[in-house]
Amino acid sequence: MASSSSGIILGIESSCDETAAAVVCAGETMLSNVVFSQIPIHQPYGGVVPELASREHLRAIVPVVRKALADAGQTYQSLDALAVTQGPGLAGALLVGISYAKSLSFALDKPLIAVNHLEGHIHAVLLEERQKGNHSLHFPVIALVVSGGHTHLYLAEQREQSWSYRNIGRTRDDAAGEAFDKVAKLLGLGYPGGPLIDKLSTFGDPTAVKFASPQLKHRDRNDKSMEEEDWPRFDFSYSGIKTAVLRYVETHGLQAEIETRRNQMSRISKPTVEDYRSACPQATLDLIASFQRTIVEDLVRKTLEASRNYEAATLFVTGGVAANNELRRHFELESHKQGIQVYFPSRSLSTDNAAMIAAAAYPKFVDKDFAPMDFSAEPALVLR
Ligand code: KG4
Ligand code: ZN
């Protein structure tokens, strides 16, 4: 096994609806990054269908991995290690990536590294900063991982090569991206809702509808695992705003308009933002913009509160929702006011990809922290 070499790692990611493979050298040079998105397959259902996701991963995994190797100018033999997402995610989807990575590792006699998907999102930021030559981050780092499945705040520290994480906040119900997707579905917009709401919001007045900012007055009584040292918490909650949008739709009699839009859009094979925009009256665009503003302000306020509490001078904002334009603008503005440096991945590395998995695997490669051959998918894996 070639563990003394330069650290050319093939990453594989299949935790949700993207089949992805990438080759990254030493956690800092992305040689290739291939993402096969299943969005068109799940679109008609308005959400990810787990069985379809597994089937599509099975179809896509071999060509996606081959393309990642070819784009990187690598061969199976030239790799130093393989890395794969162990969890969290959909069990059947994760198992496709894991089984394939195990077979490759066994056949090639190369080490295999199991990576937490959430740690991957954090390393997407690190990968790109290192690639730009930025090796001097101030610690501790507060990392907000905000996606369709997660809204987590971590206090992250680096000692030598190894990283440790402490969860200081998470959503008590819906993830922020899930709220974007559910509200988009409710309003007769396409799937996934986040990118569309992002674009449509630019045409609406974000101050038009006043939503109460999400409040959490009590400790999470369902979570017995939290010790005193895990306090204070910076938890989130986004199911209330989704209900508030539903109530707004009902009290303002928007159901007929939504139904008409749904029918109109279903007759267009690939509706554009302009199609959606012209199917939305101004009051609906205002509603969309106000919904987005409420979520963005809550994410920014709690993350900055956490950074003040832990005296962190550096913020990472990553995961699918980190692609949101207004979220980026607000974070930049508010962090600047507090003298905090905020880093985002590029938009293509904000959403799920395998470059982040290969990058997160590098410190483990150096530590020879390899996965045993009997490791399996962990759909609810936590990050520590
Ligand atoms: O990280 P990701 O690709 O998958 C998960 O790990 O969940 O995130 C996907 C989520 C979806 O909920 C999608 O609607 C949201 O990220 N998203 C966005 C934007 N782009 C993707 N949300 C808001 N604004 C965006 N521009
Ligand atoms: Zn993700």
Side-chain angles (χ1 to χ4, degrees):
M1 293 201 183
S3 54
S4 60
S5 39
S6 57
I8 297 177
I9 301 179
L10 168 72
I12 296 176
E13 152 66 38
S14 69
S15 67
C16 190
D17 59 344
E18 260 101 23
T19 319
V23 181
V24 175
C25 181
E28 64 176 40
T29 311
M30 189 165 76
L31 303 178
S32 67
N33 183 32
V34 179
V35 180
F36 170 76
S37 169
Q38 303 178 359
I39 285 175
I41 288 137
H42 302 288
Q43 224 149 24
Y45 307 96
V48 178
V49 183
E51 290 79 5
L52 293 184
S54 310
R55 190 191 70 189
E56 292 308 310
H57 285 309
L58 271 173
R59 281 191 179 149
I61 193 117
V62 174
V64 163
V65 166
R66 282 193 183 144
K67 179 156 170 45
L69 286 175
D71 289 359
Q74 299 291 321
T75 61
Y76 290 111
Q77 282 69 29
S78 64
L79 298 171
D80 294 315
L82 300 130
V84 68
T85 305
Q86 182 178 17
L90 301 168
L94 288 163
L95 279 171
V96 177
I98 292 173
S99 311
Y100 190 53
K102 276 187 185 177
S103 331
L104 283 179
S105 162
F106 182 71
L108 299 168
D109 193 23
K110 308 261 181 194
L112 177 59
I113 298 155
V115 175
N116 185 310
H117 181 82
L118 300 166
E119 184 172 24
H121 276 301
I122 293 171
H123 280 259
V125 182
L126 291 162
L127 162 62
E128 290 189 309
E129 287 309 311
R130 289 190 204 112
Q131 196 154 277
K132 285 181 216 155
N134 178 9
H135 292 269
S136 57
L137 293 166
H138 294 283
F139 289 91
V141 168
I142 296 277
L144 171 68
V145 183
V146 59
S147 69
H150 314 280
T151 305
H152 282 296
L153 267 179
Y154 294 100
L155 184 67
E157 299 265 13
Q158 186 187 23
R159 274 181 217 96
E160 307 284 314
Q161 272 291 333
S162 90
W163 283 79
S164 64
Y165 307 91
R166 188 169 142 203
N167 183 276
I168 54 165
R170 62 171 168 74
T171 181
R172 301 262 186 98
D173 38 57
D174 291 353
E178 193 179 351
F180 272 94
D181 296 338
K182 286 179 175 169
V183 164
K185 191 173 179 182
L186 173 72
L187 296 177
L189 306 170
Y191 173 84
L196 191 60
I197 288 183
D198 187 359
K199 293 187 185 95
L200 291 175
S201 290
T202 58
F203 303 106
D205 173 3
T207 63
V209 184
K210 303 275 180 260
F211 290 112
S213 70
Q215 293 289 340
L216 286 169
K217 296 198 180 69
H218 307 286
R219 277 172 78 138
D220 186 354
R221 293 190 185 88
N222 296 323
D223 197 334
K224 308 271 186 280
S225 65
M226 294 291 167
E227 304 290 340
E228 270 320 306
E229 69 196 42
D230 287 325
W231 296 88
R233 302 282 304 165
F234 298 91
D235 285 350
F236 305 89
S237 166
Y238 295 117
S239 79
I241 175 122
K242 177 193 66 190
T243 314
V245 174
L246 176 63
R247 210 165 297 129
Y248 185 96
V249 165
E250 287 164 358
T251 53
H252 290 73
L254 303 185
Q255 292 96 333
E257 168 212 314
I258 291 169
E259 214 31 57
T260 310
R261 183 162 49 249
R262 246 187 223 124
N263 288 334
Q264 274 178 341
M265 295 303 113
S266 68
R267 287 196 290 273
I268 305 174
S269 73
K270 278 193 185 145
T272 61
V273 176
E274 202 38 54
D275 292 327
Y276 279 108
R277 185 194 165 186
S278 51
C280 289
Q282 189 57 46
T284 301
L285 294 169
D286 291 346
L287 173 65
I288 292 167
S290 303
F291 158 77
Q292 176 175 280
R293 173 65 59 89
T294 310
I295 298 233
V296 163
E297 283 183 345
D298 186 67
L299 286 168
V300 173
R301 186 174 55 78
K302 293 216 179 96
T303 306
L304 287 176
E305 226 173 277
S307 70
R308 283 193 296 275
N309 187 77
Y310 288 99
E311 296 178 0
T314 309
L315 286 184
F316 288 0
V317 183
T318 182
V321 182
N324 186 273
N325 286 294
E326 190 172 4
L327 186 77
R328 287 180 179 232
R329 262 198 313 276
H330 271 246
F331 259 118
E332 264 154 13
L333 196 78
E334 297 303 318
S335 309
H336 183 73
K337 282 190 205 158
Q338 279 195 32
I340 293 175
Q341 191 75 38
V342 60
Y343 297 95
F344 305 93
S346 61
R347 280 180 176 70
S348 62
L349 289 200
S350 292
T351 47
D352 288 351
N353 65 85
M356 68 186 199
I357 302 303
Y362 182 66
K364 300 180 205 302
F365 172 76
V366 174
D367 274 0
K368 298 192 169 58
D369 178 5
F370 303 136
M373 265 301 169
D374 61 353
F375 91 100
S376 192
E378 290 227 17
L381 188 63
V382 293
L383 178 59
R384 293 200 174 87

